[in-house]
């Protein structure tokens, strides 16, 4: 039964909502291994055994939003805030380029200080200095015009997780001023402008049901994003969700594999959150169909301040400076870290 669903997902790249539920809840034991093997085979058919790396620059921890799950939410008065200067960001890129990174991801809270013009200037500067590199932005919900301005400045990709496709569930994770509808509109705008666009979810976020995950699958199938970010929810002690249980490794891996089979060419990171809940979480993610890792290029002095969740790892193989360690760990499971832009396969 489960195997038949896996085969059909592999062949047709879609299931009904009910079938997704059956698969997500039912893939245990040998069926689960079968799912992962099919997902790996799919990833290898498109990208071989290459693992793409992205240098993640967490350039501001100021955020005007107040998402209930997030450690850098506006309401966390204990968070120590920082903002990298343009010079510091350029220095991160210089270091990253020397280490072999050919994609820089500028991620931050929604920080009004970094306005449209400042960010456009920064994108231009990075693309001018490193024309062979891709720039990915991940700075939240903006207008079509703003996204267009940054695209015209040279930004290649944009990450904006939709968090959950179900509007009622979304409303339980975010304050009233945020909406699932607006977030989805942003994603459609990004696609229309021409960005390689990434959506995504947390697995095991409070009140998430299997039906919600099935709805996420159907939403992602319709959006057809070039990238999907999936990691377990991990509580942060200074948020309203501090006592909520974390998402599990097992369920996150199943979701990664299902997404790989549904969107064969998608760029799918084994996330830092996955590496945080289990020491070999990222390797296991690769073996479930992921093909990207995003080591941290932020200066050591600020790394501990970008705490989206408790115990976020930041100094081991997830540090860009330790790319040699990451390379060894990927090689140990049969994969090769490559120095390439790693664009979506067309
Ligand atoms: N646990 C796991 N992931 C989180 N994020 C934010 N807070 C948490 C948390 N507590 C994720 C969100 C966001 C991305 C930048 O980090 O999905 O989109």
């Amino acid at each position: 039964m489960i195997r038949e669903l896996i085969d059909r997902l592999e062949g047709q790249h879609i299931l009904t909502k009910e079938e997704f539920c059956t698969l997500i809840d039912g893939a245990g034991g040998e069926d689960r291994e079968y799912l992962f093997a099919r997902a790996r085979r799919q990833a290898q058919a498109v990208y071989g055994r290459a693992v793409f790396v992205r240098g993640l620059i967490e350039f501001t921890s100021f955020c005007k939003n107040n998402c209930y799950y997030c450690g850098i939410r506006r309401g966390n008065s204990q968070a120590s805030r920082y903002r990298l200067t343009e010079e510091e960001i350029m220095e991160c890129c210089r270091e990253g380029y020397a280490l072999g990174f050919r994609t820089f991801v500028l991620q931050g809270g929604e920080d009004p200080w970094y306005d449209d013009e400042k960010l456009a200037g920064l994108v231009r500067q990075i693309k001018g200095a490193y024309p062979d590199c891709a720039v990915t932005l991940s700075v939240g919900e903006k207008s079509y015009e703003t996204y267009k301005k940054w695209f015209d400045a040279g930004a290649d990709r944009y990450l904006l997780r939709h968090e959950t496709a179900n509007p009622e569930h979304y409303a339980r994770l975010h304050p009233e001023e945020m909406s699932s509808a607006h977030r989805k509109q942003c994603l459609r705008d990004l696609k229309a402008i021409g960005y390689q666009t990434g959506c995504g979810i947390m697995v095991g976020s409070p009140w998430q049901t299997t039906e919600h995950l099935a709805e996420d699958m159907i939403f992602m199938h319709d959006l057809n994003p070039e990238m999907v970010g999936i990691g377990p929810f991990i509580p942060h002690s200074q948020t309203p969700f501090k006592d909520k249980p974390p998402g599990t490794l097992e369920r996150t891996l199943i979701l990664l594999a299902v997404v790989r089979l549904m969107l064969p060419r998608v760029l799918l990171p084994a996330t830092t959150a996955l590496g945080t809940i289990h020491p070999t979480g990222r390797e296991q993610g690769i073996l479930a169909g992921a093909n990207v890792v995003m080591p941290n290029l932020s200066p050591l002095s600020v790394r501990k301040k970008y705490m989206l969740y408790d115990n976020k790892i930041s100094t081991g193989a997830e540090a860009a400076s330790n790319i040699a360690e990451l390379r060894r760990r990927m090689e140990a499971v049969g994969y090769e870290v490559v120095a390439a832009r790693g664009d979506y396969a067309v």
Side-chain angles (χ1 to χ4, degrees), residues 69-71 107 161 163 183 202 232-236 273 308-309:
Y69 47 82
C70 184
Q107 181 169 95
R161 290 191 182 172
E163 312 297 357
R183 211 154 174 100
M202 292 178 287
F233 162 73
I234 303 172
H236 186 292
L308 304 182
Y309 43 82

Side-chain angles (χ1 to χ4, degrees), residues 256-272:
L256 285 172
V258 169
V259 168
R260 169 60 66 202
L261 292 179
M262 183 176 73
L263 304 169
R265 294 175 294 157
V266 78
L267 296 162
L268 189 64
T271 56
T272 305

Side-chain angles (χ1 to χ4, degrees), residues 105-135:
V105 181
L106 297 179
Q107 181 169 95
E110 291 196 22
D111 177 1
W113 189 88
Y114 263 108
D115 61 22
D116 295 4
E117 295 310 321
K118 282 202 193 80
L119 215 45
L122 189 57
V123 170
R124 261 185 240 109
Q125 212 178 315
I126 297 173
K127 293 292 285 193
Y130 306 101
D132 55 334
C133 291
V135 170

Side-chain angles (χ1 to χ4, degrees), residues 39-61:
R40 280 200 292 278
R41 185 170 82 177
Q42 185 63 258
Q44 287 173 17
V46 180
Y47 294 105
R49 286 174 169 269
V51 172
F52 297 136
V53 287
R54 321 301 195 190
L56 182 61
I57 305 169
E58 296 160 337
F59 71 100
T60 174
S61 72

Side-chain angles (χ1 to χ4, degrees), residues 132-145:
D132 55 334
C133 291
V135 170
T136 304
L137 295 177
S138 180
V139 291
E141 299 179 29
K142 306 283 168 176
S143 67
Y144 181 97
E145 291 67 35

Side-chain angles (χ1 to χ4, degrees), residues 20-92:
F20 273 125
C21 288
T22 306
L23 175 56
I24 292 166
D25 281 339
E30 287 181 9
D31 289 335
R32 194 162 156 265
E33 290 314 311
Y34 182 79
L35 171 67
F36 294 164
R38 287 306 161 104
R40 280 200 292 278
R41 185 170 82 177
Q42 185 63 258
Q44 287 173 17
V46 180
Y47 294 105
R49 286 174 169 269
V51 172
F52 297 136
V53 287
R54 321 301 195 190
L56 182 61
I57 305 169
E58 296 160 337
F59 71 100
T60 174
S61 72
F62 286 88
C63 191
K64 68 179 176 65
N65 289 333
N66 217 11
C67 310
Y68 302 141
Y69 47 82
C70 184
I72 65 167
R73 65 200 301 269
R74 172 183 83 227
N76 182 7
S77 56
Q78 296 175 73
S80 60
R81 309 285 172 172
Y82 71 91
R83 184 181 283 134
L84 299 183
T85 64
E86 286 195 12
E87 293 69 34
E88 288 171 318
I89 295 168
M90 292 308 293
E91 176 56 24
C92 291

